[in-house]
Amino acid sequence: MKRAASARTGLRAKPGLILAEPPPAYLIRPPLVVDCSVLSAFLFEEPMRDEALRHLLGKSLHAPTLLDHEIANVAAKKQRQAWPAESIEMALADYASLEIGLHRVDIAAQVALANRYVLSAYDAAYLWLAADLKAPLATFDAKLGRAALQHLGSLK
């Protein structure tokens, strides 16, 4: 009877591993701290756009809360450079639709990192966050990138 019941329901008599997975959109995405240079390349279709996009896809994006202000600053610069208003509006709408975890930073640690690596306090905020989250940092800024390679590589 047990065998007949399992044949009808499609269940095996012996228990085995069952792995049920949600659709890929619900799986955990690896974290990535992303700075304004990477997002600007993507949003404003700058020459490094495709490279930026390759690294952003499939990641859980994180940044310090100052990112909103940096993106606004890029948009203001683009306006002064006579970029089409529609392009800027679209970039800002795309930015608003992104799922980015914005985080407060430890200001004392931010200042210490800025001084240690001779970075702006803004760049040090991204470096601090990457270290705090134990996550990679994506940037097109060479100075920040060198500091990140050194600092994140020294974490234990």
Side-chain angles (χ1 to χ4, degrees), residues 23-129:
Y26 294 101
L27 296 177
I28 294 175
R29 298 173 296 157
L32 177 68
V33 174
V34 60
D35 82 344
C36 185
S37 68
V38 175
L39 284 177
S40 292
F42 164 66
L43 294 168
F44 294 96
E45 299 187 10
E46 294 174 356
M48 303 300 280
R49 180 186 190 279
D50 291 343
E51 185 176 357
L53 190 56
R54 266 195 314 277
H55 292 285
L56 296 176
L57 289 176
K59 302 293 191 311
S60 171
L61 304 179
H62 299 269
T65 55
L66 67 94
L67 179 64
D68 286 347
H69 307 285
E70 288 196 304
I71 293 293
N73 190 53
V74 171
K77 284 182 180 179
K78 299 289 186 191
Q79 283 180 330
R80 288 191 296 272
Q81 296 169 352
W83 272 55
E86 307 82 42
S87 295
I88 295 169
E89 289 169 12
M90 222 161 87
L92 293 176
D94 289 345
Y95 174 68
S97 72
L98 292 174
E99 290 183 32
I100 302 175
L102 297 177
H103 304 264
R104 290 181 55 102
V105 300
D106 177 322
I107 295 173
Q110 177 186 3
V111 170
L113 286 173
N115 289 329
R116 178 176 177 187
Y117 294 105
V118 193
L119 297 171
S120 71
Y122 306 107
D123 287 347
Y126 292 97
L127 182 56
W128 179 87
L129 182 59

